[in-house]
Amino acid sequence: MSKYYHITTYGCQMNVHESEKIAGILSSLGYENCDNIEDADIAVFNTCCIRENAENHAFGNIGMLKKLKAKKKGMIIAVGGCLTQQIGKADILHDKFPYVDIIFGTHNLGKLKEYVIKKQSQKKSVIEVLESEGEISENEKPLRTSYPNAWINITYGCNNFCTYCIVPYVRGRERSRKSEDIINEAKELISLGYKELTLLGQNVNSYANGTDDITFPELLKKIANLDGKFRLRFMTSHPKDFSEELAKVIAENPKICNAVHLPVQSGSDRILKAMNRRYTSADYLKKVEILKKYVPDCTITTDLIVGFPTESDEDFNDTLSLVKEVGFSSAFTFVYSKREGTVAAKMDGQIPEEVSKKRIMQLISLVNSQTREQSAEYVGKTIEILCEGYDDKKQMYLGRDEYGRMAYFYSDTDVVGEFLNVKIESASGISLTGTLV
Ligand code: 5AD
Ligand code: SF4
């Protein structure tokens, strides 16, 4: 009889890829994926704690499983990810949800197989969260779910300690995979037919820092030189480490997409300093200028936080001005979320919710207007799309161009994974609609 797993993922791309590794582990134990959690023999929650709402969301969903677990006694519930990695959170989870069978952290994902086997033969919950990040494990083979796109971890953890951010505490110090392992993974993915590779790290620019391995631009160049038609992307770049050499490598290698995600967080120098970002708005603009000098058509996307402690109207206006000046093609916008244990959590001048709400609405409206303007410029143009899937609701295929812009189109045949030329006929907000040519 088949056994099924279900994974609920919260948070960022890093977590999405980690869920693919969890899926790989569970399938090696004979489990198959199911879409409905009620059918699962093992339900895994891969959590995120970067903002309070992601954390609350996970807590809510785990709580909702109580009834199902009471009906399905043999079902295994496992909780892992950033949330469990916070000091004391595993105990809180265990007290609140005693029916959770396995609790593991970000540093011991690879031991999930062992934990499941252990749980199958004992009544007691298996709880293990390691404090230390340990060595990078190359043993977890992801079960990829996003063909034709594939993610490749290049670094884990972060050393930057931005004052608002919990990531360095839950993901540990920055460690880099060996370039040889990364390049071999890229080669294998290309040979399997993957068409878009995205290199992942909290700060890819500091890849291999302090080791004698190759630098990030050299790594990009080596992967871009592999045979085959594919696109290469990377995220995330910290502006302080974004170099002229990297801009040149993007310019010289057509397989590297002319689209860079460069989180700025704020346009106010005072707030940037309080965030410990280690650049000013002028430094950021200088990086943008260098990038545009070598790659004039490069689109830039960003992350922005409003309502950081002590942010004044003037600081917020500086953010609006910077957004206009750079002309971001889109942005992830966040309301500052106080994270216990970070430096900013202890700062005076926390901003009232209604002020942050007003600011984020204003910011979203500005970003959206820029996105719309840039979308409108596509109308009448023919662009190369990598088809990523089929939208059942619209009954259209969809894909993105190298700048990351989504386009929908009709096709009589299955074209997922193909590069196609699409003539854009209309634009609505962030997405485009066109016909195959
Ligand atoms: N509150 C709001 N946004 C945050 N981010 C990280 N920590 C916080 C926080 N405490 C955002 C940053 C980062 C992105 C991944 O999440 O913008 O770039
Ligand atoms: Fe968090 Fe800053 Fe590290 Fe990004 S660079 S993960 S925002 S500490």
Side-chain angles (χ1 to χ4, degrees):
M1 213 176 73
S2 300
K3 297 184 295 178
Y4 294 101
Y5 70 81
H6 181 278
I7 305 174
T8 315
T9 308
Y10 305 86
C12 62
Q13 208 47 63
M14 206 78 70
N15 262 19
V16 173
H17 184 43
E18 255 151 36
S19 287
E20 293 183 329
K21 292 186 186 173
I22 293 172
I25 293 171
L26 297 177
S27 74
S28 78
L29 284 165
Y31 289 91
E32 289 170 41
N33 180 45
C34 67
D35 294 333
N36 191 342
I37 201 162
E38 313 229 322
D39 300 326
D41 297 290
I42 177 161
V44 183
F45 292 89
N46 188 13
T47 61
C48 169
C49 64
I50 200 156
R51 278 170 296 276
E52 196 181 359
N53 51 6
E55 195 166 316
N56 291 344
H57 197 180
F59 267 95
N61 288 354
I62 299 164
M64 280 194 317
L65 270 203
K66 188 175 179 182
K67 271 197 193 142
L68 183 63
K69 174 83 180 185
K71 271 197 289 180
K72 252 183 116 171
K73 294 261 184 305
M75 180 187 194
I76 295 177
I77 302 176
V79 182
C82 308
L83 196 159
T84 57
Q85 192 65 46
Q86 291 172 83
I87 294 171
K89 271 287 157 69
D91 291 338
I92 294 175
L93 264 168
H94 184 53
D95 287 348
K96 211 169 153 66
F97 311 114
Y99 51 88
V100 168
D101 301 284
I102 300 172
I103 299 179
F104 61 105
T106 53
H107 304 324
N108 56 340
L109 182 153
K111 284 177 83 182
L112 182 60
K113 185 172 183 167
E114 187 186 314
Y115 301 151
V116 174
I117 294 170
K118 197 165 169 192
K119 179 61 209 174
Q120 281 165 341
S121 65
Q122 74 176 44
K123 231 176 153 235
K124 230 174 84 191
S125 303
V126 182
I127 303 174
E128 185 165 61
V129 176
L130 306 179
E131 251 176 61
S132 153
E133 47 267 37
E135 294 288 303
I136 291 181
S137 160
E138 290 292 334
N139 298 328
E140 292 82 49
K141 293 283 162 265
L143 189 80
R144 296 184 184 272
T145 48
S146 304
Y147 176 82
N149 301 340
W151 289 286
I152 306 179
N153 287 119
I154 67 163
T155 66
Y156 297 95
C158 182
N159 289 348
N160 286 315
F161 289 94
C162 301
T163 53
Y164 50 81
C165 185
I166 200 161
V167 167
Y169 304 92
V170 291
R171 296 225 168 236
R173 295 295 65 71
E174 183 181 280
R175 291 93 68 205
S176 298
R177 284 177 74 198
K178 289 202 187 78
S179 58
E180 195 191 331
D181 291 329
I182 297 168
I183 294 164
N184 284 341
E185 186 172 352
K187 272 188 199 157
E188 190 192 340
L189 290 166
I190 296 162
S191 74
L192 288 170
Y194 285 89
K195 301 286 166 41
E196 187 171 297
L197 310 181
T198 304
L199 308 184
L200 288 179
Q202 308 293 349
N203 177 14
V204 290
N205 303 88
S206 61
Y207 171 77
N209 210 359
T211 72
D212 57 4
D213 209 334
I214 57 178
T215 64
F216 180 61
E218 287 164 350
L219 176 70
L220 266 185
K221 207 157 50 176
K222 282 205 171 187
I223 300 177
N225 280 333
L226 296 174
D227 287 339
K229 182 169 168 72
F230 63 92
R231 285 180 184 163
L232 186 54
R233 299 185 191 275
F234 54 89
M235 65 188 287
T236 292
S237 291
H238 194 301
K240 76 178 164 52
D241 300 314
F242 193 95
S243 65
E244 184 159 7
E245 188 194 352
L246 178 57
K248 281 189 201 165
V249 168
I250 300 171
E252 288 159 7
N253 292 276
K255 287 179 193 169
I256 305 175
C257 294
N258 292 355
V260 171
H261 188 64
L262 199 61
V264 65
Q265 313 297 359
S266 169
S268 152
D269 290 344
R270 197 180 64 80
I271 295 294
L272 286 170
K273 191 158 196 286
M275 286 177 164
N276 190 31
R277 291 292 289 177
R278 286 173 274 178
Y279 55 81
T280 61
S281 56
D283 297 334
Y284 185 89
L285 290 169
K286 185 83 197 144
K287 299 277 172 162
V288 170
E289 192 188 311
I290 293 169
L291 176 58
K292 293 271 182 177
K293 176 175 144 200
Y294 292 98
V295 195
D297 64 335
C298 194
T299 54
I300 303 172
T301 52
T302 201
D303 293 348
L304 297 157
I305 296 177
V306 302
F308 184 83
T310 76
E311 185 187 66
S312 64
D313 283 340
E314 200 187 331
D315 295 317
F316 175 62
N317 284 335
D318 288 345
T319 299
L320 295 177
S321 304
L322 187 111
V323 167
K324 284 184 208 150
E325 187 158 356
V326 179
F328 295 115
S329 57
S330 68
F332 295 110
T333 51
F334 306 107
V335 170
Y336 165 75
S337 172
K338 184 174 170 179
R339 304 283 66 206
E340 279 320 321
T342 61
V343 172
K346 292 186 218 82
M347 287 179 182
D348 292 333
Q350 303 281 330
I351 302 297
E353 202 181 316
E354 57 280 11
V355 175
S356 294
K357 271 201 183 139
K358 218 172 120 208
R359 287 183 186 157
I360 194 119
M361 298 309 284
Q362 209 179 332
L363 183 62
I364 291 173
S365 149
L366 173 64
V367 170
N368 285 351
S369 72
Q370 290 185 185
T371 305
R372 263 197 310 275
E373 266 169 39
Q374 292 180 23
S375 288
E377 286 169 18
Y378 272 91
V379 177
K381 288 188 185 153
T382 297
I383 55 174
E384 188 183 54
I385 292 290
L386 169 61
C387 181
E388 291 179 358
Y390 184 74
D391 185 314
D392 287 323
K393 248 201 212 145
K394 290 188 193 253
Q395 302 203 329
M396 291 173 106
Y397 284 90
L398 63 122
R400 278 176 303 147
D401 72 352
E402 81 161 290
Y403 307 104
R405 192 64 58 143
M406 186 74 81
Y408 291 86
F409 54 95
Y410 291 104
S411 166
D412 295 334
T413 54
D414 183 351
V415 285
V416 174
E418 288 181 31
F419 286 99
L420 307 153
N421 287 322
V422 173
K423 184 164 188 217
I424 301 306
E425 274 139 11
S426 64
S428 86
I430 199 157
S431 67
L432 312 167
T433 306
T435 44
L436 283 175
V437 291

